[in-house]
Amino acid sequence: MSHFIETRNLTFEYGGENGERPIRALSDVSLTIDEGEYIAILGHNGSGKSTLAKLLNLILIPTAGEIEIDGKTVTPEGLSDDEVFDVRRKIGMVFQNPDNQLVATVVEEDVAFGPENLGVPREEIRERIDAALATVGMTEYARHAPHKLSGGQKQRVAIAGIIAMMPKCIVFDESTAMLDPRGRREVTDTMEKLNRENGMTILHITHYMEEAARADRVIVISDGRILMDGTPREVFSRVEPLLACGLEAPQGTELLYELSLCGLPLPTGRITVEECADALEKLLSGKQGKTRDV
Amino acid sequence: MISDITLGQYFPGNSPVHRLDPRFKIILTILFMVALFSARNIFVYAAMTLFTVLLILASRISLRVVLRGIRPLLFILLFTVILHVLMSTRTDGRLLIEWKWLTVYDMDFYRAGVMVLRIVLLVLGTSVLLSYTTTPISLTDAIEALLKPLSAIRVPVHEFAMMMTIALRFIPTMLEETEKIMNAQKARGADLSSGNPFKRIRAMIPVLIPLIVSAFQRALDLATAMECRCYRGSKGRTKLVKLTARPADAAALFLFAAVLAGVYLGNYYIPIGIRIG
């Protein structure tokens, strides 16, 4: 069965001009992504996670290895402009800085930008704008100027701009990094909604563990290699390798881990705040029970 | 709302002037300017003044607000008067002052007055027709539409319009950024508001350099984001906004053409009054 995205020994190096030694950002990455998945990609700064995102959208071309995107194979030779265009309409991308990706001076005209580029007829652009703004909950701001919006709202407009292009997959390249907690929640809620309700493939590149925990699958990248790949529960249970590559586990998980290092009988694989609290409560009540017995 | 874009201060409204097609407004503005500069005698000027006032009334923007737009011009107006009165080499009318090479005739004052009137009407007319009643974005659309024929001779009209849109989009962002950088530099002890003008300009350098650097970063980010949204120039592109002319636009065009014709007829048939220029 063929996958939606498949990378085979994907390698990317940058620099290397003027006789300098090239720097390897990704080496030998092989992974598969199916349609409809909700994946978080974790990694510390410089781990190569953003490079992976840029390769998926053909902003970068692999140095070695290849990526297959919806049946189209990208090799180090690159693709023709029309083929690039075809790939990009399937994979949308939302970036980090909400200010630097909005083009127009009115929200709805910005959302129209993508469909206009695709050559969508005028009446259909109108429908797509309305649907996209409704999906991200920004309908009432359609005629507003983007610079008057909050960070989270701007990022939702940027997402609407991508949704209106009707891609199969959206890559969020640290799209929550510059937002306040409220904005981050707005954006992650939108991602989840797109995945659950519209069946869109979501790739969320982040370094916030709590956000990654909401995905169905977590891929940890360190030094350009895939370190872990599994469900959030599997990945976050392995606190040691996470800490070793400069990441952290969700706070609760890390607390349980530290306590279990001290010899307390605590379970692993608890990732949400509630689960961790339950585990602690169980432990404490158990203890109390014991002391009463004695 | 869109009106919040600071450039050229747009006053939201729904007056007949606001509702005109922006493409027509640009043409009307050109006609207005030609008419204004073609006027050759005082009665025609009086008529043009009346026409400008009517235009302001039709835009339903308060006269006080519109007149405030002249304030930044006061220096230029004063300068115009001084030049016309002192430096004129014309020798008509009554000699008022003669001192060494300096001669001042009463006609010099008259010509200076006409010049001032011309500038004032120009500023009032164009701002009411364009900047006060047209959103920057529809202005850009109009310019793109009007210049479209030039794309036949490979003038990158679409790219030009896109650049204008982006510039408009980033003006508030850059203003915000300037303020942030200024505060950051002040926090480090930079003195931006005292000293002579030269000193103050020098003090702006630590503000401008980070601003320019970040502008380049933004440009790079934006270019990437645009590419990801499948932008490839005007190739195969459709447009959301469609400008549609209405009968009122044709009527306005007719009116302005009539005014221009009136100015020429006035110049020709009203021999009384003093000719200018």
Side-chain angles (χ1 to χ4, degrees):
Chain A
M1 193 202 119
S2 75
H3 301 279
F4 178 51
I5 296 172
E6 184 167 0
T7 73
R8 290 184 280 264
N9 305 100
L10 184 63
T11 300
F12 183 79
E13 289 173 347
Y14 61 90
E17 300 113 36
N18 313 324
E20 283 171 46
R21 251 189 70 204
I23 297 161
R24 188 163 270 214
L26 274 187
S27 45
D28 268 338
V29 171
S30 297
L31 61 88
T32 57
I33 294 167
D34 286 317
E35 246 183 292
E37 281 200 275
Y38 179 11
I39 302 177
I41 298 179
L42 279 172
H44 62 84
N45 291 334
S47 60
K49 59 188 196 300
S50 280
T51 307
L52 180 63
K54 292 194 174 96
L55 283 162
L56 289 177
N57 211 337
L58 301 182
I59 298 167
L60 300 175
I61 294 296
T63 313
E66 54 186 38
I67 325 170
E68 194 181 316
I69 299 163
D70 206 19
K72 179 104 316 285
T73 306
V74 187
T75 59
E77 281 83 57
L79 293 176
S80 73
D81 284 354
D82 285 341
E83 288 172 315
V84 169
F85 185 83
D86 262 359
V87 169
R88 284 187 180 151
R89 66 191 299 166
K90 283 178 193 157
I91 301 189
M93 194 145 170
V94 180
F95 294 88
Q96 184 175 38
N97 188 334
D99 272 319
N100 296 357
Q101 47 189 323
L102 301 179
V103 185
T105 45
V106 186
V107 165
E108 62 176 13
E109 290 187 14
D110 188 82
V111 177
F113 182 73
E116 285 177 337
N117 292 335
L118 295 179
V120 175
R122 177 170 298 130
E123 301 71 41
E124 199 190 325
I125 296 182
R126 186 77 260 166
E127 287 163 19
R128 286 193 185 193
I129 293 173
D130 295 342
L133 285 176
T135 307
V136 298
M138 291 290 291
T139 306
E140 57 188 303
Y141 295 94
R143 298 292 301 157
H144 282 232
H147 73 272
K148 290 274 170 177
L149 304 175
S150 75
Q153 289 173 328
K154 281 183 208 167
Q155 207 62 299
R156 273 148 66 198
V157 172
I159 296 171
I162 302 298
I163 298 173
M165 296 173 70
M166 299 189 167
K168 292 187 173 178
C169 168
I170 302 184
V171 180
F172 293 85
D173 189 3
E174 298 204 45
S175 310
T176 54
M178 289 177 75
L179 304 179
D180 57 12
R182 190 175 154 192
R184 280 193 352 234
R185 202 168 44 244
E186 288 171 10
V187 171
T188 35
D189 285 350
T190 310
M191 283 180 209
E192 205 168 283
K193 188 176 166 196
L194 286 173
N195 178 260
R196 307 274 185 259
E197 290 171 22
N198 303 22
M200 235 179 240
T201 313
I202 302 288
L203 284 182
H204 181 198
I205 296 169
T206 181
H207 49 245
Y208 292 109
M209 303 304 133
E210 282 74 14
E211 288 177 9
R214 293 175 66 165
D216 298 330
R217 177 177 162 197
V218 177
I219 297 173
V220 180
I221 294 186
S222 179
D223 293 324
R225 287 169 196 282
I226 293 182
L227 192 73
M228 287 186 262
D229 183 349
T231 64
R233 204 170 296 282
E234 285 161 12
V235 168
F236 291 133
S237 304
R238 298 169 61 195
V239 179
E240 265 165 276
L242 275 180
L243 294 177
C245 74
L247 292 170
E248 40 192 40
Q251 278 180 345
T253 317
E254 203 171 331
L255 175 66
L256 295 192
Y257 170 75
E258 294 287 341
L259 288 174
S260 66
L261 281 188
C262 302
L264 289 170
L266 280 162
T268 55
R270 300 290 184 271
I271 56 172
T272 67
V273 177
E274 290 77 27
E275 286 172 353
C276 296
D278 284 349
L280 284 173
E281 198 187 352
K282 215 173 190 177
L283 176 78
L284 291 174
S285 59
K287 277 222 159 146
Q288 269 176 2
K290 253 179 232 160
T291 37
R292 226 177 278 147
D293 282 347
V294 172
Chain B
M1 294 299 285
I2 326 152
S3 54
D4 293 324
I5 296 156
T6 43
L7 187 92
Q9 47 182 335
Y10 167 76
F11 294 102
N14 197 24
S15 75
V17 183
H18 282 87
R19 285 199 305 265
L20 287 176
D21 184 316
R23 290 172 300 181
F24 278 79
K25 281 201 221 179
I26 293 177
I27 297 169
L28 296 181
T29 307
I30 295 169
L31 288 178
F32 176 80
M33 282 159 63
V34 172
L36 198 58
F37 280 80
S38 305
R40 285 280 174 276
N41 89 43
I42 187 114
F43 294 104
V44 178
Y45 266 108
M48 282 306 287
T49 310
L50 183 69
F51 181 64
T52 311
V53 171
L54 289 177
L55 204 59
I56 297 170
L57 292 179
S59 76
R60 296 198 201 125
I61 297 170
S62 91
L63 205 59
R64 224 187 51 215
V65 171
V66 178
L67 289 174
R68 214 188 296 148
I70 300 176
R71 219 187 297 163
L73 289 175
L74 283 178
F75 178 75
I76 293 175
L77 293 178
L78 193 71
F79 197 66
T80 309
V81 170
I82 292 172
L83 276 185
H84 267 83
V85 169
L86 298 185
M87 307 309 275
S88 165
T89 54
R90 301 273 286 267
T91 53
D92 45 357
R94 206 155 48 86
L95 187 64
L96 297 177
I97 301 167
E98 187 169 17
W99 180 72
K100 292 187 182 167
W101 50 269
L102 199 79
T103 52
V104 175
Y105 293 87
D106 60 353
M107 280 300 286
D108 290 338
F109 281 102
Y110 175 77
R111 272 191 294 267
V114 167
M115 207 56 212
V116 166
L117 182 66
R118 215 182 235 185
I119 297 173
V120 168
L121 291 184
L122 178 74
V123 171
L124 293 183
T126 51
S127 51
V128 162
L129 267 174
L130 290 177
S131 42
Y132 289 168
T133 58
T134 322
T135 58
I137 193 87
S138 57
L139 208 55
T140 319
D141 284 337
I143 291 171
E144 182 174 1
L146 286 176
L147 294 181
K148 198 98 201 189
L150 288 180
S151 55
I153 53 166
R154 300 247 183 116
V155 177
V157 175
H158 163 76
E159 283 73 9
F160 178 66
M162 182 53 79
M163 274 163 59
M164 291 215 327
T165 308
I166 291 172
L168 289 171
R169 152 74 187 83
F170 278 91
I171 285 169
T173 310
M174 299 286 282
L175 282 177
E176 216 171 87
E177 178 127 47
T178 312
E179 206 180 304
K180 248 188 235 167
I181 296 172
M182 280 172 80
N183 285 337
Q185 300 293 29
K186 275 187 209 156
R188 289 160 208 201
D191 181 8
L192 301 173
S193 51
S194 65
N196 63 44
F198 285 107
K199 230 176 174 168
R200 261 187 270 174
I201 290 171
R202 277 259 291 281
M204 283 308 280
I205 291 174
V207 174
L208 288 179
I209 289 176
L211 188 66
I212 291 169
V213 170
S214 94
F216 275 103
Q217 185 56 49
R218 279 183 197 285
L220 197 64
D221 282 359
L222 186 71
T224 311
M226 285 171 72
E227 269 193 48
C228 282
R229 289 166 79 181
C230 292
Y231 182 68
R232 43 178 188 176
S234 54
K235 187 181 169 195
R237 207 165 185 274
T238 46
K239 277 199 79 89
L240 169 69
V241 183
K242 190 180 184 233
L243 299 170
T244 39
R246 297 171 308 127
D249 296 308
L253 190 64
F254 183 75
L255 176 69
F256 275 66
V259 167
L260 182 59
V263 166
Y264 277 99
L265 290 176
N267 284 340
Y268 190 76
Y269 283 110
I270 311 178
I272 38 168
I274 307 142
R275 296 174 69 85
I276 313 128

